[in-house]
Amino acid sequence: MDSTDDVINLICLADRPGTSGHGVAVRVLGRSQPGILFGHDFLDCEIVFVAESLSTTYSITLLPEDLEDWEDALATLESQRFATWLTSGRTPSLEFKPDGHERMSVSVHDGPASGVTVTLPLFVLPTGWVGEQRALLTRVRDVYPREVVETSPGAYVWRRNRKA
């Protein structure tokens, strides 16, 4: 579930090596519509769930505000509280339920398409996992900075400091 040159992880949660092998990732594949003003800052991604007998992927498109919502969810998770992410109804949603003992269950609910919910237990999260997720978020923001500004509803312009 590691990042590659063309794909970077926004989320990568996995049991410690040598345990269950369960893992959840949100991989950023690239900009949805590079160079097109309206869709340039949207990110094509995939949610990946991996377990012993299951490997499933959900394609999603993230909006800039989804990254802000993930940052808020991380703050909630840091205090060992239940958090949800991507709850707009346009994509599958994620639920994170930490138990306070290095364990957490993560669920993806594909409400918009199949209606299926998959829950994956993560039995032994590494120490400092929230900090690792913040670092991944920072990397995504560095690689894919916001380059478009909505000046009024439906009106977009390039940021002045945009690099060509």
Side-chain angles (χ1 to χ4, degrees):
M1 294 181 64
D2 293 328
S3 298
T4 64
D5 290 340
D6 296 336
V7 176
I8 60 173
N9 287 328
L10 171 62
I11 298 172
C12 187
L13 295 168
D15 281 333
R16 288 186 189 142
T19 58
S20 74
H22 293 180
V24 177
V26 174
R27 297 176 174 166
V28 179
L29 307 174
R31 291 194 185 273
S32 181
Q33 300 175 40
I36 297 174
L37 197 58
F38 172 72
H40 182 79
D41 285 343
F42 298 177
L43 300 176
D44 284 336
C45 302
E46 60 186 10
I47 300 170
V48 180
F49 267 52
V50 176
E52 297 91 353
S53 60
L54 169 77
S55 179
T56 187
T57 303
Y58 301 89
S59 296
I60 61 172
T61 299
L62 295 181
L63 308 179
E65 51 268 23
D66 293 329
L67 298 181
E68 295 167 15
D69 292 344
W70 176 234
E71 186 170 30
D72 293 342
L74 283 171
T76 301
L77 288 167
E78 186 170 42
S79 63
Q80 292 295 314
R81 292 180 298 157
F82 171 86
T84 57
W85 184 52
L86 299 176
T87 58
S88 69
R90 66 177 165 72
T91 68
S93 61
L94 288 163
E95 293 182 349
F96 303 86
K97 296 180 184 177
D99 77 350
H101 300 287
E102 297 184 338
R103 294 184 302 250
M104 176 170 41
S105 64
V106 181
S107 299
V108 62
H109 176 65
D110 185 22
S114 67
V116 170
T117 299
V118 177
T119 300
L120 187 66
L122 299 173
F123 298 108
V124 188
L125 288 170
T127 304
W129 66 269
V130 172
E132 292 173 9
Q133 302 315 300
R134 281 199 174 104
L136 293 173
L137 174 59
T138 298
R139 181 163 184 242
V140 167
R141 286 177 166 161
D142 288 346
V143 172
Y144 298 104
R146 288 185 76 169
E147 296 181 333
V148 175
V149 177
E150 186 173 13
T151 56
S152 62
Y156 302 90
V157 297
W158 293 108
R159 288 187 185 271
R160 290 188 186 152
N161 61 354
R162 180 176 183 260
K163 296 176 184 173

